[in-house]
Amino acid sequence: MNEDIKLSYTVPGDDFTRAGEASAHCKATLKKLGVDPAAIRRVAIALYEGEINLAIHAGGGNIDVTIGDDVCTMHLYDKGPGIPDIPLAMSEGYSTAPDEIRSLGFGAGMGLPNMKKYADTFEISSVVGEGTDIVMTVNI
Amino acid sequence: MTNKEAAGTAGFTVLCAGEERTIRSFYCCDLLSHVMGQVLEDTCWCTVMGNINTIAVATLTEAACVVLCHGIPATEEMLRRAEENGITVLSTNMAEFDAAVALAKAGGIAL
């Protein structure tokens, strides 16, 4: 068994030119490791949606990625406003993104649903006023 | 049809010539999460979103190329990122659906 690879990223708030750096770096790392391209695509998309959420809604946050022999675990956490109603936030089409974010092409209300769709496991917890914590895994 | 061949189709101009890829399907949409949720690999993505995030999504989804429609200009930042990531970006005055139909006809690709 190989030792796990651990990657950590800080996502700045409201900087959409930098959001995507974690997913791009993670994608490149998985590619170097020879991981199946379909699994890499799922990791990259789920992670990018997470990065965008951190930038739009949480004023930034952190991402820790652990790449094991057969699973990639992504932990996203922030100290943002939290999510009052998680089932509502998880429903397709629901979005609280402001108009200027929508004008960039975001805010379709598909971020969290896409993360769940592409991950093999997805767990979310959130406390209003404290922040949100997401752990998702993709089998690789 | 490759993205390079698409670039030579009447009505389309090249804003950035990236890595050569074969176009296997088309997708017309401006909402990035919908694209990430639905689009297949090697898709020709027709959109009006001419910003840097378009390239991030095209890269993640392994798109064959991006077609900016309605003559919408690309930002310099977008084209710089497209070049870095090897993404082909085309421009056309056509609407998204018309652009997809024109390229599909030119390439003999079923819609």
Side-chain angles (χ1 to χ4, degrees), chain A residues 122-134:
Chain A
F122 177 89
E123 288 173 27
I124 181 169
S125 60
S126 187
V127 178
V128 173
E130 290 185 18
T132 300
D133 195 290
I134 291 173

Side-chain angles (χ1 to χ4, degrees), chain A residues 16-17 19 23-24 27 37-38 41 44-45 48-49 52 102-106 108 110-111 114 117-118, chain B residues 30-41 49 51-54 56-57 59-62 77 81:
Chain A
F16 301 103
T17 57
S23 52
K27 183 181 176 184
R41 190 169 182 266
I45 293 174
Y48 183 65
E49 291 282 20
I52 293 298
R102 291 173 191 264
S103 71
L104 293 172
F106 298 115
M110 295 298 291
N114 271 350
K117 173 181 175 176
Y118 283 111
Chain B
D30 302 318
L31 294 173
L32 303 183
S33 283
H34 272 284
V35 176
M36 283 190 278
Q38 303 294 332
V39 85
L40 304 170
E41 277 182 30
M49 281 294 163
N51 63 51
I52 194 168
N53 306 302
T54 306
V57 171
T59 304
L60 295 175
T61 56
E62 308 277 352
E77 199 178 33
R81 187 65 65 90

Side-chain angles (χ1 to χ4, degrees), chain B residues 58-111:
Chain B
T59 304
L60 295 175
T61 56
E62 308 277 352
C65 62
V66 173
V67 179
L68 270 179
C69 300
H70 296 282
I72 298 276
T75 62
E76 278 181 29
E77 199 178 33
M78 175 187 180
L79 294 180
R80 193 168 55 241
R81 187 65 65 90
E83 199 170 335
E84 285 167 11
N85 290 2
I87 300 291
T88 295
V89 182
L90 308 182
S91 172
T92 181
N93 287 324
M94 292 179 217
E96 291 95 323
F97 183 75
D98 295 335
V101 169
L103 290 176
K105 270 188 187 167
I109 303 165
L111 284 175

Side-chain angles (χ1 to χ4, degrees), chain A residues 19-44:
Chain A
E21 285 182 0
S23 52
H25 180 262
C26 194
K27 183 181 176 184
T29 305
L30 290 168
K31 206 171 175 180
K32 273 185 205 159
L33 294 170
V35 171
D36 170 41
I40 294 177
R41 190 169 182 266
R42 291 167 62 215
V43 168

Side-chain angles (χ1 to χ4, degrees), chain A residues 3-106:
Chain A
E3 199 169 322
D4 289 352
I5 294 172
K6 292 182 186 296
L7 309 168
S8 287
Y9 307 96
T10 301
V11 179
D14 295 327
D15 184 352
F16 301 103
T17 57
R18 283 191 57 198
E21 285 182 0
S23 52
H25 180 262
C26 194
K27 183 181 176 184
T29 305
L30 290 168
K31 206 171 175 180
K32 273 185 205 159
L33 294 170
V35 171
D36 170 41
I40 294 177
R41 190 169 182 266
R42 291 167 62 215
V43 168
I45 293 174
L47 208 47
Y48 183 65
E49 291 282 20
E51 286 185 80
I52 293 298
N53 275 350
L54 290 173
I56 294 175
H57 299 290
N62 292 87
I63 300 175
D64 295 332
V65 178
T66 306
I67 304 169
D69 281 345
D70 50 13
V71 68
C72 177
T73 304
M74 294 159 272
H75 181 202
L76 297 82
Y77 49 101
D78 65 68
K79 291 180 178 169
I83 302 171
D85 186 337
I86 290 176
L88 182 61
M90 292 298 301
S91 57
E92 292 185 5
Y94 178 78
S95 175
T96 57
D99 286 349
E100 65 265 28
I101 301 297
R102 291 173 191 264
S103 71
L104 293 172
F106 298 115

